[in-house]
Amino acid sequence: MGQQLRLAWRSIWRQGRRTAITVFVITFGLILIIILTTLEEGVIRSVIDSGARLQAGHVTIEHEDYRLAPSVSLSVPDAENLAAELSGLPQVQTAKLIVSGEGVARSGAGAFGVLIAGVVPELERETSPLAENIVEGEYLAPDDPKRIVIGTVLAERLRLKPGKKLVIATNDADGELVERLYRVKGIFRTGTDEVDGALIHMQLDAARDLFNLPDGSATQIGLVMKNLDRLASFLPLVEKSLGGNSDLAVHPWQTIMPGVAGYVVVERTSYLIMEGFLIAMVSFTILNTLLMSVTERKKEFATILALGGRGSNLRLQVFFEAGLIAILGILIGGVLGGAVAYYYSVNGLDLATFVPGGEVEISGISVDSTIYPMFTARLMSLICGSILVVTLVLSLIPISRVTRLSIANLLR
Amino acid sequence: MSAIVETRNLTKTFGKGDIAVHALRGVNLTINPGEFTAMAGPSGSGKSTLLNMIGCLDRPTSGEVFIEGIATQKLRPMALSDLRRDRIGFVFQSFNLIPVMTALENAEYILMLQGKPVKERRERVRDLFEQIGLGGMESRFPNQLSGGQQQRVSIARAVVAEPALVLADEPTANVDSETGMALIDLMLQLNEQRNVTFLISTHDSTVMDRAHRLIRMRDGQIDGA
Ligand SMILES: Nc1ncnc2c1ncn2[C@@H]1O[C@H](COP(=O)(O)OP(=O)(O)O)[C@@H](O)[C@H]1O
Ligand SMILES: [Mg+2]
């Protein structure tokens, strides 16, 4: 083994220029793939997170019938206890409660359908895109039962300013028609018309009061995860901790935001196809190099076989040669590409210059124009590992040629 | 003592039908231990083909090759490979040293294949190098050696594991005549001092003159053996 490795190392440097070019191609391809992947995954994660922050988190627990027929009567009665319990799971960053229902907002200027969300202001202040994008007035404070925040589009339609009043009419959990008067505390602007024209935030208790829901209840429990990569293994854990609550459903973000889920699939597929081309190009170079180096050394190999050397030794040597070239390219490319990705994952890459107005909207979710590429050990090892595997698999082609040598003919 | 090589009615035909080339047409040859045999004959007379059959690098079309009494046609490829490693040394016209190995690594290659410990390998090669005028060349790579030096390394590689027989196919064809002479001296010296058996094909009249035994090939047959 040591012998084969030593010979492999010397052999690749016999054609130093060719090896250097091959290593460079791997390096270059790898850097492109790393940047593309980390950037795309960064965008994807940012879209999912923005959506999740706007909605009820990465994982939503609600009455199993709520999705099909959203109605406040389909609530989770002991939501508060359940949320407290779930926030104890190690994967959970925050567990929040939401009371979410539909209604009509009315002012002297007209009446428009709205989506009312009762939230815990302290939690939303830290995470919600609404709280971050208040353009007039202020976001909700913990004890503001009579105040709400609305979006710019709705404010314009209803001709409202902070401090002005509006009426919200809806059906409560018992189906009774109710009407309440609220005062606008702040106006937000996310950049997405569907959100800015319809979403209303009010305090959780105020919403329970409006919809006549009992204390401790909510229509949704939203879980924000520390690491979204763990979603698949996390879902069954949540199901388990729900235990007997058989009329509750656990939805991943894909169910809550099907538009975003579709976007993620399309986005991933398209960048993977691009990377497929890159890998094909890199593979072609590697294969070409390996085939050339095996072909021009046929006589050398035949000599070794004539002297009584084993074909397996030669195969191992060629395998090592491929591996060494790949590892060199991966080391250099991984370090350079990784450094770039890491730098931007910390400092962010502002795409505003590429986007008119500096705003990016994807699947109805406005995303910050500063992208933080997703730089994780897992992603990096996945990328580098796949290049190594591709190279080693490709090396099987020249390796198979080594074994099919006719010694006598080659030594003539 | 029994023969090292014995061929019986050996034939080798390349190709079929109209384009068939009968490279060997019934060769009967016996080589005894300690012999130093030169094989002469015009180009295309079948010298290389015969050496390939004896060296178990290729299979005959018909007939038999015995190496130290072993019928080689019955052996599987692995066993043939081991037989070549342990009992036969090869010297090629164009040296065929492994370019990525030093002179010492090339020379010790067979010992390494045999699994001999490093220390023993180094000692045996150093002694041999000293004896054949390669002292101090151990760590040079083939491209840092002259043609004559390369062929010396390849002769060292062929004899170091003490094979029963060394086959050399035109070993002096790629060097000048003076160097060729020195190489023949070296092989004669090894034949005398280490009792190595040589079978050498050649065009070189000095080789024929100095060999103990001369056989002539013509049209795939041994001429007046
Ligand atoms: N692999 C082969 N395929 C076809 N013909 C061959 C092959 N090897 C040798 N020959 C033919 O066999 C004959 C003997 O060749 P060879 O043994 O190389 O002669 P020599 O070594 O005496 O010059 C020549 O006619 C040569 O062309
Ligand atoms: Mg010949």
Side-chain angles (χ1 to χ4, degrees):
Chain A
M1 277 270 278
Q3 165 87 355
Q4 271 72 46
L5 196 58
R6 193 160 54 238
L7 293 181
W9 178 253
R10 289 183 196 165
S11 295
I12 61 174
W13 295 115
R14 277 201 78 216
Q15 296 286 342
R17 226 168 77 101
R18 188 169 64 205
T19 298
I21 290 171
T22 313
V23 168
F24 174 77
V25 169
I26 298 175
T27 302
F28 186 71
L30 185 60
I31 290 175
L32 287 182
I33 290 173
I34 287 175
I35 291 176
L36 192 61
T37 308
T38 54
L39 204 61
E40 287 285 1
E41 288 299 328
V43 172
I44 286 171
R45 188 181 53 180
S46 153
V47 174
I48 295 171
D49 276 349
S50 302
R53 283 187 290 138
L54 197 61
Q55 312 256 352
H58 298 127
V59 175
T60 303
I61 298 150
E62 61 188 20
H63 192 282
E64 60 184 352
D65 297 330
Y66 184 92
R67 236 0 62 189
L68 280 174
S71 155
V72 286
S73 60
L74 298 171
S75 66
V76 185
D78 55 347
E80 208 146 323
N81 292 333
L82 217 50
E85 195 180 314
L86 289 168
S87 64
L89 292 174
Q91 295 88 342
V92 175
Q93 193 184 328
T94 43
K96 58 183 188 178
L97 298 179
I98 291 181
V99 169
S100 167
E102 288 163 3
V104 173
R106 206 171 66 222
S107 75
F112 293 92
V114 291
L115 214 69
I116 303 141
V119 298
V120 178
E122 301 94 296
L123 283 181
E124 297 297 316
R125 259 180 192 283
E126 285 162 24
T127 58
S128 169
L130 267 54
E132 279 167 19
N133 292 293
I134 294 291
V135 290
E136 267 184 276
E138 276 174 64
Y139 190 69
L140 298 173
D143 51 348
D144 269 339
K146 291 280 164 207
R147 309 242 230 158
I148 61 172
V149 293
I150 63 175
T152 47
V153 176
L154 187 64
E156 203 170 298
R157 284 176 185 156
L158 295 177
R159 303 225 179 81
L160 291 171
K161 292 248 162 228
K164 300 280 180 206
K165 283 181 269 188
L166 79 161
V167 170
I168 290 179
T170 185
N171 293 311
D172 69 13
D174 307 319
E176 297 292 331
L177 188 69
V178 287
E179 276 194 342
R180 290 281 162 87
L181 190 68
Y182 295 93
R183 204 180 280 276
V184 176
K185 178 153 194 203
I187 297 173
F188 61 81
R189 181 172 187 286
T190 64
T192 308
D193 284 359
E194 294 89 272
V195 175
D196 296 344
L199 190 60
I200 290 180
H201 268 196
M202 66 170 67
Q203 219 207 338
L204 182 63
D205 277 332
R208 284 178 182 145
D209 189 44
L210 172 67
F211 292 116
N212 195 20
L213 288 171
D215 278 355
S217 69
T219 53
Q220 276 95 18
I221 302 167
L223 303 177
V224 177
M225 292 181 65
K226 286 178 188 151
N227 183 354
L228 196 53
D229 293 342
R230 305 266 150 77
L231 184 65
S233 61
F234 178 58
L235 288 175
L237 283 178
V238 178
E239 301 262 13
K240 223 171 93 188
S241 38
L242 290 185
N245 259 319
S246 58
D247 56 354
L248 294 187
V250 178
H251 297 303
W253 61 269
Q254 288 93 331
T255 312
I256 307 296
M257 305 182 285
V260 173
Y263 155 80
V264 169
V265 170
V266 170
E267 194 66 12
R268 265 209 187 112
T269 311
S270 65
Y271 91 71
L272 284 175
I273 288 173
M274 248 157 85
E275 291 183 356
F277 279 113
L278 276 174
I279 289 183
M281 267 164 54
V282 172
S283 302
F284 181 78
T285 311
I286 296 171
L287 186 60
N288 191 45
T289 295
L290 292 177
L291 281 177
M292 273 206 303
S293 94
V294 164
T295 306
E296 69 199 8
R297 285 186 296 163
K298 274 187 176 171
K299 195 167 168 184
E300 180 184 324
F301 293 156
T303 304
I304 285 176
L305 293 174
L307 297 178
R310 288 266 187 269
S312 57
N313 285 349
L314 295 178
R315 289 194 291 269
L316 191 61
Q317 186 188 322
V318 174
F319 187 73
F320 281 157
E321 287 171 22
L324 284 172
I325 290 176
I327 287 169
L328 277 177
I330 288 169
L331 276 180
I332 303 173
V335 167
L336 294 180
V340 172
Y342 177 73
Y343 175 83
Y344 285 112
S345 78
V346 173
N347 296 301
L349 176 64
D350 195 355
L351 297 179
T353 37
F354 304 105
V355 193
E359 259 169 20
V360 193
E361 192 191 308
I362 294 165
S363 283
I365 289 171
S366 41
V367 179
D368 200 300
S369 67
T370 301
I371 297 301
Y372 292 87
M374 186 156 141
F375 181 81
T376 62
R378 194 188 128 168
L379 198 56
M380 286 296 288
S381 32
L382 203 68
I383 297 170
C384 294
S386 45
I387 297 276
L388 184 63
V389 168
V390 165
T391 311
L392 293 182
V393 169
L394 283 176
S395 76
L396 297 178
I397 298 169
I399 282 173
S400 74
R401 298 209 173 171
V402 173
T403 345
R404 283 190 260 118
L405 296 174
S406 151
I407 310 173
N409 276 336
L410 285 166
L411 291 177
R412 257 152 56 82
Chain B
M1 211 171 163
S2 65
I4 286 180
V5 178
E6 198 185 337
T7 72
R8 286 190 202 147
N9 261 323
L10 203 57
T11 74
K12 178 69 177 178
T13 306
F14 293 105
K16 282 186 185 136
D18 286 349
I19 55 155
V21 177
H22 301 282
L24 297 180
R25 309 163 182 259
V27 175
N28 293 294
L29 175 66
T30 303
I31 305 278
N32 288 307
E35 280 188 342
F36 192 95
T37 309
M39 175 165 52
S43 217
S45 59
K47 304 183 295 295
S48 295
T49 306
L50 179 57
L51 289 177
N52 284 345
M53 298 303 139
I54 296 172
C56 306
L57 296 175
D58 206 352
R59 303 245 185 207
T61 306
S62 70
E64 290 165 303
V65 177
F66 295 89
I67 304 291
E68 297 186 304
I70 298 167
T72 59
Q73 71 269 22
K74 290 187 186 137
L75 298 180
R76 294 167 161 276
M78 281 289 214
L80 283 178
S81 171
D82 287 347
L83 180 73
R84 290 198 300 268
R85 180 190 67 195
D86 296 335
R87 305 312 298 153
I88 305 172
F90 292 91
V91 176
F92 305 96
Q93 180 176 334
S94 42
F95 326 137
N96 291 23
L97 295 178
I98 307 305
V100 291
M101 293 184 194
T102 62
L104 182 127
E105 287 168 337
N106 266 290
E108 70 171 8
Y109 188 66
I110 309 293
L111 297 175
M112 196 210 69
L113 289 178
Q114 290 175 337
K116 295 279 192 300
V118 182
K119 198 159 167 285
E120 181 191 335
R121 269 149 45 188
R122 300 279 137 111
E123 260 164 33
R124 283 169 73 169
V125 172
R126 288 227 159 83
D127 285 352
L128 186 57
F129 270 24
E130 220 49 66
Q131 188 188 347
I132 66 176
L134 283 175
M137 304 283 174
E138 287 84 354
S139 55
R140 294 211 188 168
F141 284 92
N143 62 5
Q144 299 167 319
L145 296 170
S146 70
Q149 288 169 333
Q150 288 188 52
Q151 197 61 305
R152 276 169 192 266
V153 174
S154 106
I155 291 169
R157 175 174 71 184
V159 302
V160 75
E162 297 176 350
L165 166 75
V166 172
L167 300 172
D169 196 357
E170 310 210 24
T172 60
N174 275 10
V175 295
D176 61 63
S177 57
E178 203 178 321
T179 309
M181 200 102 86
L183 289 173
I184 293 305
D185 284 341
L186 172 62
M187 287 188 274
L188 279 165
Q189 177 198 337
L190 290 166
N191 172 253
E192 268 163 38
Q193 294 175 354
R194 296 188 173 223
N195 201 33
V196 185
T197 308
F198 279 92
L199 174 57
I200 305 168
S201 85
T202 187
H203 274 105
D204 190 339
S205 56
T206 51
V207 181
M208 301 176 213
D209 293 344
R210 307 191 54 184
H212 304 154
R213 179 184 169 199
L214 179 63
I215 54 177
R216 289 187 181 276
M217 289 284 290
R218 181 193 295 263
D219 294 336
Q221 284 177 315
I222 292 178
D223 222 16

